[in-house]
């Protein structure tokens, strides 16, 4: 039962990162649009799906609370301030998204809110991941780092890196879902974002070696873990080729594979730890009766329904979008 919920948690995290990642990326790329027509074209690509994408964040938090309460409590203790700021950024971003369409004189204000909310939410998510990789101050299974125990140069660098990664996914999304002028903007941005992502990965690797981060020792002890970085390198090469050939869907698919490779690398490197290297999945798991109760509710009903809903929405709303004179 524990293995089932670990798999479900991994799935919901990856779906959130992928689905909300590209629409956060669109928000971060919005200032690069040449004019209002191009901005509307960018926003039209995510308007039908962006709020549904965030459903996976809610579902992920609910599953974590119900099945791994010790991990949930530790994460809240460690990242209370970043999580509050992230939720505030997502709320303000959503308000700005809706208000920009209804406004005229204040539209630049709402555009700024949409962009800032996208950057802040993404940056804080990256900081949280970076802090977990770097290692939280723990005494056994208890967090002892205080309000800013998560802050480190490595974590902040990971925040910047996730902004680059989400922007890369957003640019890939534009290449097959947007009007011609916007699509070309996506193709122009991808090479620069890909170069920035490669530089970020090199910097993270060097800093990890310099700081002697524990996870690096696991990679060298288990060379098979390098299969995931190898997959990421292949995806980067495919992405560069797809841009050169102006292939519509392939850039986004390759960007998703890059994230899948990064996610897989972290998952297999940490396992069986949920809070590296302090709390394992067994230690964090709720009693078997709770896991079984959650299975019949969230596992059998809520998760499949949410998956079906997501698939139906993306299938019904497939195809290219075009900016409208009024509304999205």
């Amino acid at each position: 039962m524990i293995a089932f919920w670990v798999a479900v948690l991994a799935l919901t995290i990856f779906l959130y990162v992928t689905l909300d990642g590209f629409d956060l990326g669109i928000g971060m790329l919005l200032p690069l649009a040449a004019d209002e027509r191009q901005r509307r074209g960018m926003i039209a690509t995510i308007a039908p799906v962006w709020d549904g994408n965030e459903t996976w964040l809610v579902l992920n938090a609910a599953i974590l609370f119900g099945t791994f309460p010790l991990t949930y409590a530790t994460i809240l203790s460690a990242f209370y301030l970043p999580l509050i700021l992230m939720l505030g950024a997502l709320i303000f971003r959503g308000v700005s998204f809706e208000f920009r369409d209804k406004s005229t004189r204040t539209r630049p204000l709402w555009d700024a809110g949409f962009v800032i909310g996208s950057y802040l939410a993404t940056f804080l998510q990256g900081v949280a991941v970076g802090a977990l990789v770097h290692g939280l101050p723990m005494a056994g299974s208890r967090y002892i780092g205080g309000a800013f125990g998560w802050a480190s140069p490595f974590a902040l660098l990971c925040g910047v890196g996730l902004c680059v990664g989400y922007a890369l996914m957003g640019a890939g999304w534009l290449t097959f879902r947007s009007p011609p002028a916007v699509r070309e903007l996506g193709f122009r941005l991808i090479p620069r974002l890909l170069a920035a992502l490669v530089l970020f990965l090199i910097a993270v690797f060097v800093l990890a070696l310099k700081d002697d981060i524990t996870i690096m020792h696991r990679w060298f002890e288990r060379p098979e873990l390098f299969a995931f970085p190898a997959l990421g390198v292949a995806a980067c090469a495919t992405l560069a080729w797809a841009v050169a050939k102006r292939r519509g869907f392939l850039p986004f698919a390759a960007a998703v594979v890059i994230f899948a490779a990064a996610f897989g690398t972290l998952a297999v490197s940490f396992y069986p730890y949920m809070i590296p290297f302090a709390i394992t999945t067994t230690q964090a798991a709720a009693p078997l009766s709770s896991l079984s109760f959650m299975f019949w509710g969230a596992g059998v009903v809520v998760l499949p329904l949410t998956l079906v809903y997501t698939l139906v929405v993306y299938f019904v709303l497939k195809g290219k979008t075009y900016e409208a004179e009024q509304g999205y």
Side-chain angles (χ1 to χ4, degrees):
M1 188 62 75
I2 292 177
F4 170 79
W5 284 114
V6 169
V8 168
L9 196 60
L11 175 65
T12 57
I13 292 173
F14 180 69
L15 287 174
Y16 171 73
V17 167
T18 302
L19 298 179
D20 206 33
F22 75 76
D23 73 57
L24 285 166
I26 297 294
M28 290 185 283
L29 295 176
L30 198 67
L32 301 179
D35 51 32
E36 175 61 18
R37 182 183 179 87
Q38 204 168 65
R39 282 189 289 274
R40 295 184 73 83
M42 295 171 70
I43 289 175
T45 65
I46 61 172
V49 297
W50 73 273
D51 47 354
N53 292 341
E54 293 181 354
T55 302
W56 292 102
L57 180 62
V58 178
L59 187 58
N60 179 256
I63 290 173
L64 190 63
F65 173 78
T67 59
F68 299 101
L70 180 57
T71 301
Y72 182 87
T74 303
I75 288 176
L76 281 185
S77 298
F79 300 111
Y80 187 80
L81 180 59
L83 285 175
I84 289 295
L85 290 174
M86 183 197 75
L87 292 175
L90 289 174
I91 292 170
F92 187 52
R93 175 178 179 268
V95 171
S96 299
F97 186 95
E98 298 296 340
F99 275 33
R100 82 170 307 279
D101 185 46
K102 309 296 189 294
S103 62
T104 52
R105 289 177 299 177
T106 59
R107 183 169 293 168
L109 172 65
W110 300 118
D111 281 347
F114 185 57
V115 173
I116 293 170
S118 299
Y119 269 106
L120 185 58
T122 302
F123 176 75
L124 292 172
Q125 290 174 18
V127 166
V129 173
L132 288 171
V133 173
H134 189 268
L136 294 173
M138 302 288 292
S141 60
R142 186 167 59 90
Y143 174 72
I144 58 172
F148 296 96
W150 47 269
S152 70
F154 184 87
L156 298 176
L157 179 62
C158 288
V160 174
L162 191 63
C163 289
V164 175
Y166 278 5
L168 179 64
M169 265 204 298
W173 181 255
L174 292 178
T175 62
F176 82 102
R177 285 299 304 270
S178 60
V182 181
R183 184 167 65 249
E184 192 56 36
L185 174 64
F187 278 122
R188 288 201 309 269
L189 291 174
I190 287 175
R192 304 173 197 175
L193 293 169
L194 182 59
L197 183 63
V198 171
L199 289 176
F200 158 73
L201 293 174
I202 293 173
V204 163
F205 184 74
V206 171
L207 192 57
L209 290 177
K210 176 178 176 294
D211 289 355
D212 195 30
I213 293 177
T214 305
I215 195 174
M216 295 303 299
H217 297 289
R218 299 192 116 197
W219 291 350
F220 291 123
E221 292 167 0
R222 299 168 58 191
E224 67 273 13
L225 297 184
F226 283 94
F228 286 98
L231 176 63
V233 171
C236 289
T238 302
L239 179 56
W241 178 85
V243 171
K245 297 297 183 179
R246 288 300 192 263
R247 300 302 174 101
F249 174 72
L250 202 51
F252 177 70
V256 171
V257 173
I258 291 172
F259 268 85
F263 184 78
T265 300
L266 293 177
V268 298
S269 300
F270 286 157
Y271 191 80
Y273 290 97
M274 300 199 77
I275 303 293
F277 290 90
I279 301 175
T280 65
T281 55
T282 303
Q283 293 171 325
L288 183 59
S289 57
S290 297
L291 297 181
S292 300
F293 178 81
M294 287 284 292
F295 174 79
W296 294 109
V300 175
V301 178
V302 177
L303 179 63
L305 282 177
T306 309
L307 280 170
V308 170
Y309 163 79
T310 302
L311 289 172
V312 168
V313 167
Y314 277 87
F315 178 78
V316 171
L317 300 174
K318 66 181 183 296
K320 297 188 182 300
T321 58
Y322 294 90
E323 71 273 20
E325 292 302 320
Q326 296 293 331
Y328 300 126

